[in-house]
Amino acid sequence: EAAVTQSPRNKVTVTGGNVTLSCRQTNSHNYMYWYRQDTGHGLRLIHYSYGAGNLQIGDVPDGYKATRTTQEDFFLLLELASPSQTSLYFCASSHWGWWGTGQLYFGEGSKLTVL
Amino acid sequence: GDSVTQTEGLVTLTEGLPVMLNCTYQSTYSPFLFWYVQHLNEAPKLLLKSFTDNKRPEHQGFHATLHKSSSSFHLQKSSAQLSDSALYYCALSSNTGYQNFYFGKGTSLTVIP
């Protein structure tokens, strides 16, 4: 079973604060993703990457930066957190090859509260 | 662009009745379709994935048929169980350069005794 580990699992910060969410996958997957989950909106893609040093913009990127430092590690950065970024954040990984699309494997989620 | 529509936000069923959750999609290319399930306080996990050879995927009593003519991938089960209560997401992936997954807004299924 693929493993995706997120930290921290819970984070509380104040408006204007700096937050870094970390994600590590140990499955040698090439793609990694950051989603936010909000009631009524489902899962929305923030950023994704197909390899170390690569970053692609998702559907809701405003207010977020991300960096893929290695094949295993993908970070989500909120440099000036706002209450609208209070959400449950999921990291996921998948592998895409010549055979087509692999499934997404999700981490356990990071709950962020911005006061 | 690619998109997925789940028309029901909330579905409540009595145990033993059949389940059908709707999913329609738009895609320029021939996509893969998925159903993910998320139980309370857990991460989403794969329930079903469409096959390229049009076989019908089945798992834990659930099945879904990809109908390209109607762009649909509805989730079905013949008899709902209490343990089926969860949030269900339909998702699409099309290999158009980048591997991206597009999710519907999800359907929350509650099964009552």
Side-chain angles (χ1 to χ4, degrees):
Chain A
E1 180 74 10
V4 181
T5 305
Q6 294 182 230
S7 63
R9 296 291 308 279
N10 281 285
K11 176 75 177 178
V12 179
T13 189
V14 296
T15 299
N18 253 318
V19 176
T20 298
L21 303 181
S22 302
C23 178
R24 167 166 282 201
Q25 56 98 1
T26 57
N27 310 296
S28 301
H29 288 170
N30 48 7
Y31 276 79
M32 295 184 74
Y33 307 81
W34 278 107
Y35 289 91
R36 61 178 290 174
Q37 183 179 42
D38 305 285
T39 304
H41 293 279
L43 288 161
R44 292 183 290 175
L45 182 64
I46 304 170
H47 291 297
Y48 66 107
S49 166
Y50 60 72
N54 174 264
L55 181 66
Q56 301 297 320
I57 296 171
D59 299 321
V60 289
D62 292 346
Y64 301 96
K65 293 183 179 179
T67 181
R68 179 94 175 265
T69 54
T70 65
Q71 181 83 344
E72 296 79 19
D73 297 303
F74 195 31
F75 300 93
L76 186 67
L77 299 87
L78 293 74
E79 293 184 334
L80 287 171
S82 74
S84 64
Q85 294 176 307
T86 293
S87 188
L88 180 59
Y89 291 87
F90 284 101
C91 177
S93 72
S94 72
H95 199 73
W96 179 46
W98 58 268
W99 65 86
T101 299
Q103 67 177 66
L104 278 170
Y105 293 89
F106 286 87
E108 291 302 310
S110 296
K111 185 177 178 183
L112 174 65
T113 303
V114 184
L115 301 174
Chain B
D2 292 347
S3 65
V4 174
T5 301
Q6 295 179 250
T7 52
E8 311 109 337
L10 296 168
V11 172
T12 302
L13 283 175
T14 302
E15 188 178 16
L17 290 182
V19 179
M20 180 158 166
L21 305 184
N22 291 319
C23 173
T24 56
Y25 65 90
Q26 279 190 307
S27 181
T28 307
Y29 301 91
S30 292
F32 286 97
L33 272 293
F34 303 80
W35 277 100
Y36 284 85
V37 59
Q38 184 180 21
H39 289 96
L40 192 62
N41 297 323
E42 294 183 6
K45 58 185 178 183
L46 182 69
L47 181 61
L48 293 172
K49 175 186 172 183
S50 64
F51 288 108
T52 54
D53 58 2
N54 294 324
K55 286 182 184 175
R56 188 178 81 168
E58 296 191 27
H59 186 62
Q60 297 179 340
F62 286 94
H63 63 267
T65 302
L66 180 61
H67 290 288
K68 293 181 181 178
S69 58
S70 58
S71 299
S72 67
F73 191 59
H74 305 319
L75 183 67
Q76 294 178 273
K77 186 177 184 182
S78 59
S79 176
Q81 299 177 288
L82 297 176
S83 58
D84 294 331
S85 295
L87 182 58
Y88 292 81
Y89 285 106
C90 184
L92 170 161
S93 178
S94 57
N95 297 330
T96 55
Y98 298 122
Q99 186 194 29
N100 204 344
F101 290 82
Y102 297 90
F103 283 83
K105 293 187 177 182
T107 298
S108 179
L109 174 65
T110 301
V111 181
I112 58 175

